[in-house]
Amino acid sequence: MEYVVNEKNAKITLQIIEAIHTNAAYLSEIDGATGDGDHGVNMDKGFMMAKERIQLSMNFSESLKVLGRTLVMDIGGSMGPIYGTMFSRLSRRFKKEERITKEVMVEALNSSIDGLMELAGAKIGDKTLLDTLYPATDAFTQAMNQQKSFKDCLIALSKGAEDGKESTKDMVAKIGRAARLGERSRGFLDAGATSCCIILQTMTSAMIEELDSE
Ligand SMILES: [Mg+2]
């Protein structure tokens, strides 16, 4: 198949939630190197809260909306609004569709990038989750331009996310708590870039499962 069905596909979102839950301690450990070490705990709290509000019968777009809203309303710190924006933007683009194609996907990803840039004022290279999301989206777009299948575009996205996350190790933080460390933030992964990589890779593998099964 060349599309993922929107209807009753909340299981993709539930898999994302599960992945954050599984990696909560790891994410806090990464955050602890340059921040206050609460990233995994905070994320887990919000994502688990959303889990209770998501029914399997919901559309994929609807479940993303619930997750986004929960993160904005119920988790503090900077990550709530940031991931809230990302998931809300994805949801809004998917909402109108019965079938999520690669063309819809790339628009949704770009809308998320725009939303995050507006919200946080972050730029590429500031050592944030954008440094995962942007190269992942870029890799997806390039695969699309080469007429690759949706599945291959998602595989490219997953690889782009991994490379992007790894690239934050060499960056100096320009924004957020880690920015206070200046040069000393170099040498460590960014926690947000790492959670974003987990989210994107889980989402892509769940979507690939759908593409393979239909
Ligand atoms: Mg923190």
Side-chain angles (χ1 to χ4, degrees):
M1 279 296 179
E2 280 302 301
Y3 58 86
V4 171
V5 174
N6 187 16
E7 194 180 19
K8 297 185 183 170
N9 234 337
K11 64 174 177 290
I12 300 172
T13 306
L14 291 171
Q15 285 184 50
I16 295 171
I17 291 170
E18 212 46 54
I20 289 298
H21 183 60
T22 306
N23 286 285
Y26 170 64
L27 289 171
S28 281
E29 190 189 313
I30 289 177
D31 188 32
T34 57
D36 52 4
D38 63 354
H39 184 58
V41 175
N42 271 338
M43 292 282 280
D44 191 36
K45 196 174 124 206
F47 280 61
M48 291 312 273
M49 219 181 266
K51 185 184 175 181
E52 294 184 5
R53 300 172 186 171
I54 293 171
Q55 277 101 50
L56 261 177
S57 59
M58 284 178 176
N59 288 355
F60 180 31
S61 57
E62 201 182 349
S63 62
L64 287 169
K65 183 179 167 185
V66 172
L67 175 57
R69 186 169 291 176
T70 303
L71 297 178
V72 170
M73 307 293 275
D74 295 312
I75 79 165
S78 56
M79 290 327 271
I82 286 173
Y83 275 119
T85 298
M86 185 173 120
F87 289 117
S88 299
R89 289 290 186 120
L90 293 175
S91 165
R92 230 181 291 167
R93 183 59 193 87
F94 293 158
K95 194 171 85 179
K96 317 169 230 180
E97 308 293 338
E98 284 174 33
R99 298 172 169 190
I100 297 162
T101 59
K102 59 185 175 184
E103 288 81 10
V104 172
M105 185 70 183
V106 80
E107 284 183 28
L109 290 165
N110 280 311
S111 171
S112 288
I113 291 172
D114 292 345
L116 290 175
M117 284 180 152
E118 282 163 27
L119 174 80
K123 295 184 295 298
I124 312 304
D126 282 354
K127 196 176 177 109
T128 71
L129 77 169
L130 263 182
D131 294 305
T132 295
L133 182 59
Y134 186 85
T137 302
D138 188 47
F140 186 95
T141 308
Q142 284 186 34
M144 240 181 93
N145 291 341
Q146 291 161 24
Q147 323 298 332
K148 298 264 178 74
S149 67
F150 193 0
K151 181 177 175 173
D152 284 342
C153 292
L154 288 170
I155 292 169
L157 183 140
S158 188
K159 174 79 168 55
E162 181 71 30
D163 293 347
K165 174 199 81 177
E166 286 299 322
S167 77
T168 65
K169 221 180 247 179
D170 295 326
M171 292 176 184
V172 175
K174 303 270 169 44
I175 204 164
R177 191 181 289 264
R180 295 177 213 167
L181 295 177
E183 264 304 319
R184 280 178 296 141
S185 65
R186 204 191 292 277
F188 302 98
L189 285 173
D190 178 62
T194 307
S195 56
C196 187
C197 182
I198 290 167
I199 288 166
L200 291 176
Q201 291 191 326
T202 306
M203 184 165 70
T204 52
S205 64
M207 289 176 90
I208 287 169
E209 249 175 68
E210 292 299 303
L211 293 173
D212 284 344
S213 74
E214 278 158 8

